[in-house]
Structure formats: structure tokens, C-alpha cells
Amino acid sequence: MEVAGESCDVENGAYSNRAIEVKEFDETKAGVKGLVDSGVKEIPKFFIHPPETLERPVAAESGGAGYEVPVIDLRGLEREEIVRGIREASETWGCFQMVNHGIPLTIIEEMVEGVRRFHEQPQEMKMEWYSRDRKQPVRYYCNGDLHVSNAANWRDSISCEFPDGTLDPEALPLLCRKEITAYIKGMTELKEILGELVSEALGLKSDHLKKMGCMETQTLVCHYYPGCPQPDLTLGATKHSDPSFLTILLQDNIGGLQVLHQGHWLDIPPLHGALVANLGDLMQLVTNDRFKSVEHRVLARQVGPRISAACFFYPSTMSGYKLYGPLMEFLSDDNRPIYRETDVNEYLEYYRSKGLDGTSALPYFKL
């Protein structure tokens, strides 16, 4: 295994050195922003990715046919047209941008500023939220997979868990409490709309996904990507797909989000006020590969910070051990199940155990 261009064989001690460096960094609770604030000119070796993960295949001319991430107007079109657009995007891309989604621009802009305020507050105050305990409903950290990944990503995060859509607002940091509370309310409302539209796009009744209880719990993860002194050596986020049923992403105007489409990395350019919908692994599993879970990444940049907020939708807490497998509506003699049944807890446990290593977790669950 290669990390930062060096062999990680136990014999030469490189792996041990990396583990020590990561532990020392983690214990500072300062995150990537702390490195930038200290004036580093060279990034620590454990942030350096092997060349194969940094490759940037050249796509067709920007704007060429078939090479633009679909943009769907949720209010300006007939419902049949919206459903058809979601179906086509979900089958071929696994993602789409949304405009006229019903969340006011002021809530989106205030959310971005709230996330910025949290990450840019004095370090001694922010570090009180630092934790790797997943049982903590609200926590700040640098790289959830810091200790298991081959290379770290250039970002810090604050995660907020809303089991069955609820979390006491008093548990949220005061600096962004109002903004997160308003934003998550909008996410819940938009999720209901998308749940119906995606159900119809699958040829099912509009309340099918709702009755499955598969998108009742939200995890809101707010990322902060500082400007990087050596952006060509690292990534903001390694290639991955989401373990959720559905993810709604807010990104600011910095850019850097890319999706893998037909073997090419393509930008998802920020559209003012737009949101991105990513289909997750569990959606691909229950649709038996009819809808795709999108592989995506975030480039590191010298310009920053970039701010994003990803809202992941998972089954209700009551359904934590409920088995999900390919739906019978998509099975026949000619379309056998591709995946075995699994529950969200098992899926997440495996997903987290391997870290963001650039490979999908779905093959592990294939029959």
C-alpha cells in the first residue's frame, strides 16, 4: 500500500510514523484550518494522495451534449415533465441540480454564513465540540475516517444528527443554531417532495418511499475546505458515493465538486440558490441498479474556504435493523436480485470500516 508516495510496509516503519503523525494532529483538535492558520507552506504527508487518485481525465468540451449535469426546475414545469427529468437523471447520472425547490435564498445564504462562523470562531471555543464519538449528536472533527483512510482529505466538518427528524435546538452551537434549525426544516419539507417525485420516477405510487420509512432520519454534515497551499497533492474529498438513500447538497460559489460520468470527471458548477440531489447506495440497492448512486469528489483549491452542507437521509430509528433489499417491483425471471438484503446499521458499519478509499461499498453486498 502506498501513502504519500512512500511504502507503508510495517518493516520500514512508514506506517507507524504515519499513525503517530495522524494521532498528534488529531489531538490538536485544530483541524485543517489550524494548519492553515499556522502558516504551513507544505501539507503534512498524510494528506498527500497517491497519483492515481489525483488523476483528472479530460472530459468533452464543457457544455457538450450529454456532459452537463441535469438541472431540474421543481416548480416551473408540469409534474410529468419533472418526473421524467428525475427518472432520466437518476438512471444515467445519479444526481441532478434543483432550482425553484422552495427553500428561500435567504435561508441558504444564512446557512453558508452560519457554517463559516462556526469554523472561523476562536480555536479554543471550537475545540470544545471536537469528538470522534458517533453517539454525540453534534460534533466537530477533521475527517471522519482519519485513522482508517489511506490519505486524509483537506477539510473540517461539523455533523448534526436528527434521528427521526428531531434534535433539541439547544444541542446546536449558538453561532449557527438559528441557521441550522431553519435549514433542516426546509430539508425535511423538500425531502417529502422529492420522495414523491422519485417514487413516481420509479413507476411506483407517490407515497411508496415514505411508506418504506427509508428517509426519516437526517444527518447534516457541514464541511469547511480551507484554501490549500499544495492543492495538486491532495483532495477536498476522495472519490466516493453516499451510503444514504438520498443526499441534498448545498454548495457555495467556490466550486470544486465533481461527478464521475462515463469515465470523466465533470464539474457541478455552482448555480446561485440551487441545491444538488445525490442518489445514495441504498437507493441503488433497493432499485436493483435501476437508479444509480453517483460517485463524486471535491478538488482541493488554493482559493478558499469552500463551504458545503450535505443532508443525508436514512431510515427511521425504528427501522435501523429493518432489512432492505431489491424491491419486488423491479424483479422478474429476467431481472434477478443483484444484492442481498441488509439493514442500514450493517451498511454503515461496513462503509465506515473501509473509509473513503475510492471504492464503492455496494459490491460487498452483491449476491
Side-chain angles (χ1 to χ4, degrees):
M1 177 170 66
E2 295 284 319
V3 174
E6 299 179 5
S7 172
C8 286
D9 292 340
V10 173
E11 289 79 7
N12 65 21
Y15 180 81
S16 297
N17 291 341
R18 181 188 182 281
I20 291 170
E21 291 174 6
V22 166
K23 183 175 183 292
E24 291 175 347
F25 167 76
D26 200 23
E27 288 175 348
T28 69
K29 302 182 179 180
V32 171
K33 187 176 186 302
L35 293 175
V36 173
D37 290 346
S38 71
V40 294
K41 302 300 181 186
E42 296 183 359
I43 65 177
K45 287 184 178 180
F46 58 86
F47 280 99
I48 299 177
H49 288 245
E52 59 269 22
T53 68
L54 296 169
E55 289 176 352
R56 304 184 181 188
V58 178
E61 287 294 320
S62 178
Y67 280 89
E68 282 188 346
V69 175
V71 179
I72 296 178
D73 187 335
L74 294 185
R75 293 176 184 266
L77 300 172
E78 294 293 330
R79 189 175 184 89
E80 183 179 335
E81 217 175 330
I82 296 171
V83 169
R84 183 170 61 249
I86 289 176
R87 180 186 306 116
E88 292 173 355
S90 300
E91 290 176 344
T92 58
W93 287 85
C95 68
F96 49 91
Q97 295 217 68
M98 300 175 288
V99 296
N100 287 327
H101 42 66
I103 299 181
L105 183 60
T106 52
I107 288 180
I108 289 175
E109 292 176 338
E110 288 169 2
M111 180 64 183
V112 170
E113 290 309 308
V115 174
R116 184 193 308 274
R117 278 197 305 275
F118 174 84
H119 285 284
E120 294 182 355
Q121 67 180 303
Q123 181 57 36
E124 61 272 16
M125 298 174 65
K126 184 170 61 174
M127 67 193 305
E128 294 178 6
W129 295 91
Y130 200 90
S131 175
R132 296 204 173 275
D133 182 0
R134 295 188 184 278
K135 294 179 181 178
Q136 291 286 339
V138 181
R139 59 194 180 93
Y140 147 66
Y141 55 90
C142 178
N143 284 252
D145 62 347
L146 182 66
H147 294 279
V148 299
S149 64
N150 291 335
N153 290 316
W154 195 256
R155 69 179 181 186
D156 298 328
S157 309
I158 175 175
S159 174
C160 309
E161 299 283 346
F162 293 82
D164 299 328
T166 61
L167 176 65
D168 182 358
E170 296 298 315
L172 295 166
L174 185 59
L175 280 174
C176 52
R177 180 179 300 164
K178 177 172 69 93
E179 291 77 12
I180 289 178
T181 300
Y183 186 74
I184 204 69
K185 180 176 182 293
M187 286 293 98
T188 302
E189 294 170 354
L190 180 56
K191 177 261 296 183
E192 295 293 332
I193 295 170
L194 284 176
E196 292 186 359
L197 292 170
V198 173
S199 293
E200 292 175 30
L202 286 166
L204 305 170
K205 291 184 178 180
S206 60
D207 62 352
H208 195 102
L209 290 176
K210 184 176 181 62
K211 285 185 175 179
M212 285 173 60
C214 61
M215 296 193 295
E216 302 306 309
T217 287
Q218 297 103 318
T219 298
L220 181 66
V221 185
C222 307
H223 298 301
Y224 183 93
Y225 304 81
C228 181
Q230 295 177 300
D232 293 334
L233 297 181
T234 190
L235 288 167
T238 314
K239 182 181 83 167
H240 67 287
S241 55
D242 296 337
S244 57
F245 273 89
L246 176 73
T247 305
I248 300 176
L249 177 73
L250 160 64
Q251 60 170 339
D252 67 6
N253 62 356
I254 295 293
L257 176 63
Q258 295 187 324
V259 296
L260 190 61
H261 181 67
Q262 298 181 3
H264 298 292
W265 284 110
L266 301 176
D267 293 326
I268 297 190
L271 295 179
H272 191 55
L275 296 168
V276 180
N278 287 343
L279 299 188
D281 290 350
L282 291 173
M283 185 70 77
Q284 180 168 333
L285 186 148
V286 299
T287 64
N288 212 39
D289 280 359
R290 181 171 177 180
F291 281 3
K292 307 300 181 185
S293 177
V294 64
E295 290 188 305
H296 52 290
R297 69 179 185 182
V298 177
L299 301 180
R301 298 195 167 190
Q302 284 188 314
V303 177
R306 176 184 184 267
I307 292 170
S308 69
C311 190
F312 303 88
F313 292 94
Y314 296 105
S316 65
T317 53
M318 294 288 289
S319 301
Y321 292 99
K322 176 182 177 180
L323 292 177
Y324 289 95
L327 297 173
M328 60 177 294
E329 288 85 354
F330 306 122
L331 303 179
S332 66
D333 291 340
D334 297 326
N335 292 289
R336 308 301 296 172
I338 297 170
Y339 305 99
R340 66 174 176 85
E341 291 184 326
T342 183
D343 61 65
V344 66
N345 290 325
E346 182 194 17
Y347 198 90
L348 286 174
E349 182 179 1
Y350 176 72
Y351 184 95
R352 290 164 176 165
S353 70
K354 72 183 198 62
L356 299 186
D357 61 0
T359 65
S360 172
L362 277 170
Y364 179 79
F365 296 88
K366 283 191 172 182
L367 291 169

